[in-house]
Amino acid sequence: QPRLPEDYAIIMGHVPTAEEIRERYRVDEVRYVDEMADHLKTLGGGNTTTPNLLLLEGPNTDSGKTTRPAAFDGMSAFQVNRSLLHPEIAELRVVKTPQELDALRYANKISSLAHMHVMRTVKPGMREYQAEASFLHHVYFYGGARHVCYTCIAGGGASGAVLHYGHAGAPNDQVIRDGDMVLFDFGAEYYCFCSDITCSWPVNGKFTDKQKVVYNAVLRANRAVLAALRPGVSWRDMHLLANRTVLEDLTAAGVLTGNIDEMMAVNLGGRVFQPHGLGHFIGCD
């Protein structure tokens, strides 16, 4: 941590000590930044060889962006390796500890309860941002989650088909009309642990026949994947199972015509109905 002057507390409150930070994060050791170089040199076990620093640098395969490695005064005195650590950390992040699972369950619980609150309170004629505001208030007021993991997506009607609706150029500001399906993609973040829940339903509480077809197709795909999912199963196979299930139901309802295998061969389900893919990892932001 940086070594801050005492009068910093006038603006920011109590400045935690190194011991207080060590206890809060349950780490083995905490050092001030201005001690970093000298302390790291002692980790060579008494050898005269300067320790080799492993820096976290590598691409995010979704965004294409590269992590920014750590830097501190005096780092030029060390040998550094920028390739070894990233793949190891990326793999380790996939596996959660029991404590991490508890934190994720809590984040998802408070998000689920907030979604249910939104379902009970949103009515035709309201604007999308009112649903967003209702969710944000609920997870903070009742769950202690000050932040969300991503910009809330509160799509009414056709806006629900826009994958990342809700951004600054389309800020959840449309009126939700009677008869609309709404798609609300909200997720609370609790101490950096994330949730990500999407719900879609008719704002007036009653499905039309056409809305039922689409909703039930997605529901059956969801249940099919959950029934097939187990350790060792291919993620790609689960994605394709969901696509096939949706295509089967839409064909049975007359929305599509043709051979399901031929539709799968040209990736009709993936291109048209599920361009975002089946899902993604979730964990610590």
Side-chain angles (χ1 to χ4, degrees), residues 123-203:
K123 300 291 188 291
M126 297 176 70
R127 289 192 179 270
E128 296 159 336
Y129 60 70
Q130 292 177 282
E132 176 184 6
S134 181
F135 179 87
L136 294 173
H137 172 266
H138 201 280
V139 295
Y140 197 7
F141 190 89
Y142 294 102
R146 190 175 191 182
H147 304 290
V148 287
C149 309
Y150 49 89
T151 302
C152 290
I153 301 169
S159 298
V162 181
L163 295 186
H164 283 179
Y165 181 75
H167 56 79
N172 294 330
D173 59 355
Q174 301 300 303
V175 174
I176 304 171
R177 305 188 184 283
D178 190 21
D180 277 354
M181 288 287 291
V182 293
L183 183 145
F184 293 159
D185 185 350
F186 308 144
E189 180 179 308
Y190 189 74
Y191 285 90
C192 297
F193 284 91
C194 294
S195 60
D196 184 347
I197 299 173
T198 303
C199 296
S200 190
W201 37 277
V203 70

Side-chain angles (χ1 to χ4, degrees), residues 196-217:
D196 184 347
I197 299 173
T198 303
C199 296
S200 190
W201 37 277
V203 70
N204 63 12
K206 186 173 178 59
F207 287 96
T208 67
D209 289 340
K210 290 181 179 180
Q211 289 168 348
K212 285 180 187 177
V213 168
V214 177
Y215 185 92
N216 285 326

Side-chain angles (χ1 to χ4, degrees), residues 108-119:
N108 280 276
K109 178 182 177 181
I110 61 177
S111 293
S112 297
L113 293 173
H115 269 284
M116 289 189 282
H117 173 73
V118 173
M119 288 180 184

